[in-house]
């Protein structure tokens, strides 16, 4: 914009000064009506600015795409995320464990979050790490994030979804590789397993769960098809639709 604004400001001073009444040497052209040079400048400059802004927008839109994989020499960790009333369920398909309202992953290692919802639409968001992504029933969304420093990050829902929305927060722990292995082993020591019965308990009494924050819960094992079944339940695939 400075290309235009600065030029206009300079001309707003130059033209009144040059064509002032007392300047008898100013060239007077009462029949002037066209200048190819002026037309080229007037149209070329805005067009070049639009092309430059368009290219920058195109580049940044793709570079900041939340689905774009993060360049790293480490294999990404896959975590499946399910938005529920009024909590977050995290499933680790490779480690075959699951947690509620707590997620952990190694620092300096890309994490691919596969996100869906078992209820109304929500938004999965860890503000200090990057992009939010919507969780929608019957659909799988993806976001790639990576913590460059170890620490505890605040996770939340960025989409108002009802009276229990205020309780939809969790802690994301970025730890060392050894610390992540220790955390996985701690979860595997839990006596609870995520089967049909325990999952139904998570989805039951939603009205009662509005009133309080669901405590962090560990499940030492989980059905490897649980995430797929949740998506298909809402997409109609289980009913042959």
């Amino acid at each position: 914009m400075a290309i235009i604004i600065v030029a206009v400001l300079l001309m707003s001073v130059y033209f009144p000064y040059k064509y002032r009444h007392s300047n008898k040497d100013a060239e007077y052209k009462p029949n002037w009506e066209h200048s190819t040079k002026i037309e080229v400048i007037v149209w070329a400059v805005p067009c070049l600015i639009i092309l430059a802004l368009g290219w920058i927008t195109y580049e940044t839109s793709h570079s900041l795409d939340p689905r774009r994989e993060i360049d790293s020499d480490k294999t990404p960790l896959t975590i499946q995320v399910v938005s529920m009333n009024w909590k977050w369920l995290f499933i680790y398909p490779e480690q075959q464990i699951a947690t509620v309202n707590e997620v952990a992953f190694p620092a300096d290692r890309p994490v691919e979050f596969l996100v869906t919802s078992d209820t109304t639409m929500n938004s999965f968001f860890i503000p200090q790490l990057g992009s939010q992504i919507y969780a929608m029933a019957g659909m799988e969304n993806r976001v790639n994030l990576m913590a460059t420093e170890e620490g505890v990050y605040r996770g939340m829902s960025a989409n108002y979804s009802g009276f229990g929305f205020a309780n939809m927060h969790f802690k994301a722990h970025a730890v060392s590789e050894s610390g992540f292995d220790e955390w996985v082993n701690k979860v595997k020591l839990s006596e609870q397993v995520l089967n049909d019965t325990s999952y139904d308990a998570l989805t039951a009494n939603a009205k009662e769960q509005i009133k309080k924050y669901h405590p962090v819960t560990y499940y030492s094992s989980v059905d490897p098809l649980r995430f797929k079944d949740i998506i298909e339940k809402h997409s109609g695939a289980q009913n042959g639709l």
Side-chain angles (χ1 to χ4, degrees):
M1 292 303 298
I3 297 174
I4 297 175
I5 294 173
V6 172
V8 170
L9 291 176
L10 291 175
M11 287 187 292
S12 67
V13 175
Y14 172 74
F15 286 126
Y17 175 77
K18 180 178 180 180
Y19 296 104
R20 67 193 185 277
H21 180 70
S22 60
N23 185 11
K24 303 301 182 180
D25 297 327
E27 188 177 7
Y28 178 59
K29 294 182 178 180
N31 298 320
W32 180 88
E33 63 179 14
H34 177 75
S35 172
T36 302
K37 292 181 180 179
I38 292 178
E39 291 289 339
V40 170
I41 294 174
V42 168
W43 287 102
V45 172
C47 289
L48 291 175
I49 292 174
I50 292 173
L51 288 173
L53 293 177
W55 177 254
I56 293 173
T57 302
Y58 175 83
E59 284 290 314
T60 53
S61 295
H62 285 273
S63 65
L64 298 177
D65 183 358
R67 298 175 67 94
R68 181 177 179 176
E69 295 183 0
I70 298 174
D71 294 332
S72 175
D73 56 354
K74 297 181 180 179
T75 303
L77 172 67
T78 300
I79 301 178
Q80 298 166 337
V81 183
V82 182
S83 166
M84 307 179 71
N85 290 333
W86 307 91
K87 51 195 167 290
W88 293 96
L89 171 66
F90 300 96
I91 301 173
Y92 291 73
E94 299 167 6
Q95 291 74 24
Q96 297 184 355
I97 59 174
T99 62
V100 173
N101 283 344
E102 182 179 285
V103 62
F105 42 80
D108 290 320
R109 179 179 175 184
V111 182
E112 181 183 45
F113 291 97
L114 309 182
V115 185
T116 191
S117 175
D118 197 15
T119 177
T120 185
M121 185 173 72
N122 257 294
S123 180
F124 176 73
F125 193 24
I126 306 177
Q128 290 174 280
L129 297 187
S131 300
Q132 65 168 329
I133 200 74
Y134 282 103
M136 294 172 282
M139 299 177 65
E140 177 190 286
N141 223 337
R142 300 187 181 192
V143 59
N144 291 278
L145 303 175
M146 185 173 70
T148 57
E149 296 180 356
E150 295 182 20
V152 180
Y153 301 92
R154 179 173 61 98
M156 57 183 288
S157 170
N159 184 72
Y160 181 73
S161 55
F163 290 106
F165 163 77
N167 291 325
M168 292 197 67
H169 54 88
F170 60 92
K171 290 184 177 180
H173 299 266
V175 297
S176 62
E177 288 286 352
S178 59
F180 177 69
D181 293 336
E182 293 176 2
W183 181 84
V184 170
N185 291 331
K186 182 176 70 172
V187 175
K188 287 186 176 181
L189 293 176
S190 172
E191 296 180 355
Q192 299 191 67
V193 297
L194 190 61
N195 51 27
D196 291 340
T197 302
S198 57
Y199 187 81
D200 290 341
L202 281 176
T203 58
N205 301 321
K207 292 183 178 180
E208 291 298 322
Q209 295 177 24
I210 290 176
K211 304 176 182 178
K212 59 183 180 180
Y213 174 76
H214 193 286
V216 174
T217 309
Y218 295 154
Y219 297 97
S220 57
S221 66
V222 60
D223 182 355
L225 298 179
R226 175 66 58 184
F227 185 76
K228 176 175 176 290
D229 290 341
I230 294 171
I231 294 177
E232 291 184 348
K233 177 175 68 174
H234 296 280
S235 66
Q238 293 181 348
N239 299 321
L241 299 178

